[in-house]
Amino acid sequence: MEGWRGAWYVPCLAAHETLQELCRKENLTCKSIGIANRNLKSYEVEYLCGYKVEEGTEYYLVKWKGWPESTNTWEPLENLKCPLLLQNFHNDQNEYLSRAKQGKALIMRKHGKALKPAVVDYIVKKAKQRVALQRWKEELNRKKNHKGMILVENTVDLEGPPLDFYYINEYKPAPGINVINGITTGCECSDCPAEKCCPKEAGCLLAYNKYRQLKIQPGLPIYECNSFCRCGPDCPNRIVQKGTPYSLCIFRTNNGRGWGVKTLQKIKTNSFVMEYVGEVITSEEAERRGQLYDNQGNTYLFDLDYDSDEFTVDAARYGNVSHFVNHSCDPNLQVFNVFIDNLDLRLPRIALFSTRPIKAGEELTFDYQMKGSIDPISDSADALSPARKRTRTVCKCGAVCCRGYLN
């Protein structure tokens, strides 16, 4: 556009629905967010946020999707064609009454009085949380590049999506760090693995069996075929690079461990589950951030110490589903170092494989002290270097063999 040469742009951080509300409030159309003349005045129930009975008729206060709250209206029950939203409304009401242990005093009756403010406040907060989690789920599934779906669930409290977390699919290197380096050639196999396939060229064993399950011991590296290899996408030595094959659910734990991750499908032993990604930073920067995270009770730093201790992965702000995987002293996932399009031993990719059969609905965990080897690092604070000594975080994994601390 001639008149906009030299202009710079700032990305809009407002939610899609917020922009729609602004358009409708000002009677404006905007094709890019789906507001046209044909639907400028359309109405769809987003959630229910109030209840009353007048002259024997039940009314619900309706929040209209894409409209500001100032346009909420009372609608008779007979006009509402949203059985799921009605069910959510009453479930949230009953949940509040149950938690407050005031059921008899607050049970809704069909008379002129409206619901008590505390009940309405809880119902509205739950409705807004449900909308926010649904939007977050949709955002996660738009950004992911793997096969499995991502679901989000919170039946524990009113916590919504994290405010300062950005989903990424691969390492986000800090300035000056190159995570794509060292690959100029690949194997010439037409049917991997052959005599000179990538693992053998690196002096290592092929990591996978014919069922594409891990067959090497913890501590040994995985070398997969890379972008220069002659083999195609169906090569049996391309596993981690294809991403998470399972549908997973980010859920709110009920024992104070925040968010967790559970699988929605059964997982066989020695199967690839997910990759641990985040910002790749120097160990010096990790030390600085670590002091801050310890004060917050967070643990997101993963040292890339396969060959040296120069770099760390920080999944606090940038990461994938692995950001939400909790620690356990008796985990069902094991850490492995993986090399694909980068042969720099200081910068392996971190893959999590199952250590045993995992049932659908079971929480996924790994040992935060496990650094891709047979044995975890010592759980003694004295084993840490002076620069690494920090406030210790109490472990809540509940395992019989719990060590008591995360670090």
Side-chain angles (χ1 to χ4, degrees):
M1 293 172 59
E2 194 70 27
W4 287 91
R5 282 183 180 174
W8 55 279
Y9 302 90
V10 176
C12 180
L13 299 180
H16 192 266
E17 288 76 9
T18 301
L19 296 175
Q20 289 183 332
E21 291 177 6
L22 291 173
C23 281
R24 289 195 166 107
K25 184 177 180 180
E26 301 298 331
N27 201 35
L28 300 173
T29 61
C30 179
K31 292 183 179 179
S32 62
I33 60 172
I35 301 296
N37 286 322
R38 58 181 173 77
N39 64 357
L40 182 61
K41 298 296 182 181
S42 66
Y43 291 87
E44 177 186 349
V45 180
E46 186 169 32
Y47 57 83
L48 305 174
C49 48
Y51 174 88
K52 65 181 180 180
V53 178
E54 290 184 352
E55 298 181 355
T57 301
E58 296 180 77
Y59 291 88
Y60 289 85
L61 186 59
V62 175
K63 165 65 173 69
W64 300 104
K65 187 175 183 180
W67 290 86
E69 293 184 5
S70 60
T71 62
N72 291 0
T73 58
W74 288 97
E75 300 294 332
L77 174 60
E78 62 183 19
N79 289 355
L80 299 176
K81 310 300 180 184
C82 50
L84 179 59
L85 296 181
L86 285 164
Q87 181 180 343
N88 288 340
F89 181 91
H90 290 294
N91 287 346
D92 294 340
Q93 179 195 17
N94 292 334
E95 183 178 294
Y96 176 85
L97 297 176
S98 176
R99 292 184 178 184
K101 296 182 181 180
Q102 298 174 351
K104 290 184 179 180
L106 293 176
I107 285 178
M108 181 175 63
R109 302 182 186 279
K110 293 186 177 182
H111 51 56
K113 295 182 180 179
L115 292 177
K116 292 194 174 183
V119 183
V120 173
D121 181 64
Y122 180 80
I123 290 173
V124 171
K125 286 180 178 178
K126 284 295 292 185
K128 289 183 176 180
Q129 177 201 53
R130 195 174 287 113
V131 170
L133 292 179
Q134 176 64 25
R135 292 174 182 170
W136 186 38
K137 185 193 79 170
E138 293 171 355
E139 177 188 354
L140 294 176
N141 284 283
R142 283 195 304 269
K143 291 183 176 180
K144 73 174 179 65
N145 64 358
H146 55 79
K147 180 180 178 181
M149 294 293 294
I150 302 174
L151 274 66
V152 179
E153 174 186 289
N154 185 353
T155 60
V156 174
D157 55 30
L158 292 171
E159 188 73 16
L163 299 178
D164 194 26
F165 174 73
Y166 305 92
Y167 194 94
I168 57 176
N169 293 292
E170 56 189 18
Y171 282 163
K172 177 182 174 62
I177 300 176
N178 184 12
V179 297
I180 303 296
N181 181 39
I183 290 290
T184 57
T185 60
C187 70
E188 296 294 326
C189 310
S190 57
D191 187 18
C192 297
E195 186 64 28
K196 291 187 177 182
C197 197
C198 295
K200 293 184 179 181
E201 286 290 287
C204 300
L205 298 173
L206 177 69
Y208 310 114
N209 62 23
K210 63 179 180 180
Y211 302 108
R212 304 195 176 196
Q213 294 169 298
L214 208 60
K215 67 176 185 179
I216 61 173
Q217 293 297 312
L220 296 177
I222 297 173
Y223 280 84
E224 291 195 358
C225 292
N226 60 64
S227 56
F228 283 88
C229 292
R230 185 177 177 181
C231 54
D234 295 327
C235 169
N237 194 36
R238 297 181 185 271
I239 303 298
V240 172
Q241 60 194 266
K242 290 186 176 181
T244 302
Y246 304 102
S247 290
L248 305 173
C249 179
I250 300 171
F251 74 104
R252 195 72 176 170
T253 63
N254 60 7
N255 62 350
R257 293 178 298 129
W259 296 100
V261 178
K262 61 184 176 182
T263 176
L264 300 177
Q265 302 170 250
K266 64 180 181 180
I267 301 174
K268 295 181 179 180
T269 305
N270 296 326
S271 298
F272 170 64
V273 179
M274 70 180 74
E275 192 172 352
Y276 193 90
V277 303
E279 292 181 89
V280 179
I281 58 177
T282 64
S283 295
E284 291 77 15
E285 174 63 13
E287 187 62 38
R288 187 190 68 80
R289 296 187 186 186
Q291 299 291 343
L292 174 63
Y293 296 159
D294 286 345
N295 292 333
Q296 298 172 343
N298 296 327
T299 306
Y300 295 109
L301 298 175
F302 198 115
D303 292 335
L304 299 179
D305 54 4
Y306 171 72
D307 182 67
S308 63
D309 196 14
E310 294 183 45
F311 302 109
T312 296
V313 177
D314 181 4
R317 296 187 67 211
Y318 297 90
N320 60 4
V321 178
S322 64
H323 167 97
F324 302 97
V325 175
N326 279 313
H327 162 85
S328 175
C329 297
D330 184 22
N332 51 22
L333 300 180
Q334 167 71 48
V335 173
F336 282 82
N337 296 285
V338 185
F339 299 93
I340 305 174
D341 280 323
N342 188 347
L343 298 182
D344 188 337
L345 297 181
R346 302 171 303 165
L347 292 165
R349 291 166 64 165
I350 303 302
L352 300 173
F353 286 79
S354 58
T355 60
R356 56 174 173 78
I358 304 175
K359 299 177 182 179
E362 186 175 345
E363 183 176 1
L364 301 173
T365 58
F366 73 94
D367 188 341
Y368 287 3
Q369 295 188 22
M370 192 71 71
K371 299 300 181 182
S373 60
I374 295 285
D375 300 314
I377 62 175
S378 171
D379 61 342
S380 168
D382 293 334
L384 302 175
S385 65
R388 292 282 178 175
K389 288 185 180 180
R390 301 175 182 150
T391 304
R392 306 197 74 188
T393 304
V394 175
C395 179
K396 300 178 182 179
C397 74
V400 175
C401 59
C402 180
R403 297 188 295 269
Y405 296 93
L406 296 183
N407 52 359

